[in-house]
Amino acid sequence: MAYLEVEEMTTHIYEEDMDTISHGDDAAMMSAIDAAIEEVQGYLTKYDTGKIFAARGKERNPILLLFVKDIAAWHFCNICNAGVDIKMREKRYDRAIEWLRNNQNRQNPNLPAAPEQPGLQECRCCGEIAFGSNRKRDNHF
């Protein structure tokens, strides 16, 4: 059993639409699911992605599962738009990516932290530097 099964995608795409797009072959949907998981893992480098994506059933984080489904649906619908609202799919994909970016460097209590790597204990930032500045000011007299 995988983190996300094809049958679970019916919450995001009607089964008839999946059959129309994939011509009854689950390989296209599995490819979209695999791509979505890989894409999400790229945003969750601060977390233990092995543990996150090894979870099954109720052990999975519901909001992360929702966004993985949104991303998988986007990748799948790009094959063909038969009966699928592309604008809605695109908005949901963008929302999922925005959520992943916003949580990329924060501690989310519902996701397990990545395990400590030997040799990196003295550096808590693990090679990344956070920087920023105040917002630009425009003075008009």
Side-chain angles (χ1 to χ4, degrees):
M1 181 179 193
Y3 176 77
L4 177 59
E5 298 290 334
V6 173
E7 296 79 28
E8 294 177 286
M9 289 300 297
T10 56
T11 59
H12 283 58
I13 303 177
Y14 291 119
E15 196 169 340
E16 312 81 66
D17 292 338
M18 282 196 292
D19 288 339
T20 302
I21 294 170
S22 68
H23 302 292
D25 183 15
D26 287 345
M29 180 56 83
M30 285 307 300
S31 176
I33 290 170
D34 291 343
I37 289 172
E38 189 70 28
E39 186 172 351
V40 169
Q41 283 178 337
Y43 288 99
L44 299 177
T45 56
K46 299 285 184 190
Y47 305 102
D48 188 353
T49 54
K51 196 174 195 178
I52 292 169
F53 292 106
R56 303 293 180 257
K58 298 283 185 191
E59 298 172 354
R60 299 175 293 186
N61 181 298
I63 192 75
L64 183 63
L65 179 63
L66 176 83
F67 289 137
V68 170
K69 286 181 181 182
D70 282 332
I71 293 169
W74 172 251
H75 290 308
F76 183 70
C77 288
N78 283 330
I79 296 171
C80 171
N81 63 357
V84 179
D85 184 3
I86 291 293
K87 287 288 185 195
M88 190 246 333
R89 281 283 126 228
E90 183 177 19
K91 285 180 185 177
R92 290 192 65 140
Y93 172 82
D94 291 341
R95 180 173 175 255
I97 296 301
E98 179 185 351
W99 183 85
L100 288 166
R101 282 188 184 136
N102 288 338
N103 287 295
Q104 193 169 16
N105 294 319
R106 297 184 190 157
Q107 282 293 356
N108 184 340
N110 296 325
L111 297 175
E116 293 290 327
Q117 296 177 356
L120 294 178
Q121 284 86 9
E122 65 276 354
C123 176
R124 296 297 300 162
C125 63
C126 300
E128 295 181 21
I129 299 173
F131 60 92
S133 66
N134 292 333
R135 146 180 98 79
K136 183 178 178 183
R137 291 178 41 169
D138 290 324
N139 295 327
H140 299 284
F141 297 99

